[in-house]
Amino acid sequence: MVPLAEAAPVTTATAPASIPTEPGGRPESQPVTTVYRPSEPVDLRHTLGPLGRGPYDPTTVWDARGLWRTFRTPDGPVTLRVEATSDGFRATAWGPGADWAIAGVPQLLGGDDDWSALDVSASPLLRESRRRNPGIRLTRTRRVFEALAPAIVEQKVTSVEAYRSWARLVRRFGEPAPGPAPEGMRVVPSPVTWRRIPSWEWHKAGVDPRRSRAVVESATVADSLERATASAASLAEAAARLRTVLGVGVWTAAETLQRSHGDPDAVSVGDYHLAHYVGSALIGRRVDDDGMLELLEPWAGQRQRVIRLILASGHRDERHGPRMTIQDHRNH
């Protein structure tokens, strides 16, 4: 194996003429493998953890050695396996999108995420969290719609509800994962499939008409969104372009760009718990969204990095008052 930065993806054999091949001539069942050796520490779970949508997400499976992850690429579905090794990270991919996925491993593991300008010396909590967690990186998946759809499903509901809805939809309408993925793994539905999900299936999954319409609207313009955000002059402009889609607001755009673009400044304003947690961690008391933005202002441009340090710090926020009620109207 060779470093990804130094050589092209490696395949293990030449395809016999009788075996179905991908457009580039590689057998469709043959994996593409490489080893990525980052120049900075990378903590696999801290970096890729935000990609999973709950403990039952059929696109994401963690085990003792690493991560299994399925997704759609411009070339088709893929299963990606990433493991930490003694000399870096071994990545193996199966399916039509294997070459595309392997080429993006450095970005997926935060290879272009530069924390060198972040100064947290004024905050003991942040300073200690940075010392204890040097491997936190912001992932960049390069897939906007696949980050956008679950973010829409998560709008205005509890995590339990959102995770349940997402898992049901992907299991019902996704396709089997390529390669030797763990049993039950699925690839998220294509934009075309999302548009064809009937209303009663959204209802069974616990997704109300407002959110289902937003997913369908986003799926209808998915290709345009990929191009528009890729060509945006800045991440702020990319967020603005996302918000032109009906049902996509500030929170949803931030949640999307944190994953698809590794946006170092995106703040999920409107989150049910985030402002309380940030205020409690930084000044010992809860604040609202405006208060959170004021507290994060000294780190403008890197506010998502600060939030990730707070989340990794081990700080525990004492919660008060009633919790958000879980509602289930699927049998109505």
Side-chain angles (χ1 to χ4, degrees):
M1 298 303 171
V2 293
L4 186 64
E6 298 177 9
V10 177
T11 54
T12 56
T14 302
S18 61
I19 297 178
T21 62
E22 306 294 352
R26 174 175 52 80
E28 60 185 21
S29 60
Q30 183 173 299
V32 181
T33 303
T34 195
V35 174
Y36 169 56
R37 298 182 176 92
S39 59
E40 300 288 340
V42 176
D43 184 303
L44 199 61
R45 281 191 176 267
H46 272 311
T47 300
L48 299 186
L51 298 183
R53 304 289 180 158
Y56 307 111
D57 183 353
T59 72
T60 307
V61 173
W62 287 93
D63 59 29
R65 298 173 60 188
L67 172 72
W68 293 91
R69 171 78 178 171
T70 67
F71 52 98
R72 286 189 180 277
T73 78
D75 300 326
V78 67
T79 298
L80 180 67
R81 171 65 169 170
V82 183
E83 298 179 0
T85 69
S86 60
D87 64 342
F89 293 91
R90 184 185 303 275
T92 307
W94 295 263
D99 293 302
W100 190 93
I102 288 295
V105 165
Q107 292 163 306
L108 192 70
L109 294 180
D112 50 7
D113 179 32
D114 183 6
W115 289 59
S116 61
L118 179 63
D119 181 3
V120 293
S121 59
S123 168
L125 180 139
L126 295 176
R127 186 173 64 246
E128 178 62 12
S129 182
R130 182 65 178 143
R131 185 190 68 80
R132 292 173 50 230
N133 301 286
I136 296 178
R137 293 287 178 270
L138 301 184
T139 187
R140 183 182 176 197
T141 67
R142 303 174 292 157
R143 303 304 291 153
V144 171
F145 178 70
E146 286 200 18
L148 178 59
I152 293 171
V153 171
E154 292 174 2
Q155 292 175 350
K156 305 295 184 181
V157 294
T158 66
S159 296
V160 172
E161 292 172 282
Y163 296 159
R164 180 179 61 197
S165 297
W166 177 249
R168 180 186 176 97
L169 290 166
V170 175
R171 289 196 182 102
R172 178 74 175 84
F173 297 101
E175 62 188 82
E183 184 178 359
M185 288 199 76
R186 310 286 287 182
V187 181
V188 293
S190 69
V192 171
T193 300
W194 282 113
R195 298 199 299 268
R196 293 175 176 172
I197 296 176
S199 59
W200 58 87
E201 292 288 357
W202 290 105
H203 184 71
K204 288 179 180 179
V207 179
D208 61 75
R210 178 188 58 79
R211 287 181 289 150
S212 64
R213 281 195 300 269
V215 174
V216 171
E217 287 280 344
S218 300
T220 302
V221 295
D223 290 341
S224 298
L225 285 178
E226 301 286 352
R227 293 192 297 269
T229 53
S231 64
S234 66
L235 288 169
E237 182 179 323
R241 292 181 178 184
L242 280 178
R243 294 197 299 270
T244 64
V245 179
L246 183 65
V248 177
V250 173
W251 182 90
T252 306
E255 288 284 310
T256 300
L257 292 178
Q258 288 164 18
R259 296 166 173 84
S260 65
H261 285 61
D263 189 339
D265 197 47
V267 180
S268 302
V269 174
D271 190 271
Y272 192 71
H273 294 296
L274 184 62
H276 296 163
Y277 190 77
V278 169
S280 174
L282 294 181
I283 60 173
R285 60 178 175 84
R286 292 181 160 203
V287 297
D288 58 13
D289 281 334
D290 288 339
M292 173 178 67
L293 293 176
E294 183 178 350
L295 289 173
L296 294 174
E297 180 59 29
W299 297 286
Q302 306 205 64
R303 294 176 298 178
Q304 178 57 206
R305 292 191 179 113
V306 170
I307 290 171
R308 292 295 298 280
L309 287 177
I310 293 173
L311 295 175
S313 69
H315 171 76
R316 294 292 178 264
D317 178 28
E318 184 180 353
R319 297 185 177 181
H320 302 278
R323 295 185 177 183
M324 197 172 182
T325 302
I326 296 177
Q327 301 183 25
D328 189 347
H329 303 295
R330 290 175 296 171
N331 296 319
H332 293 183

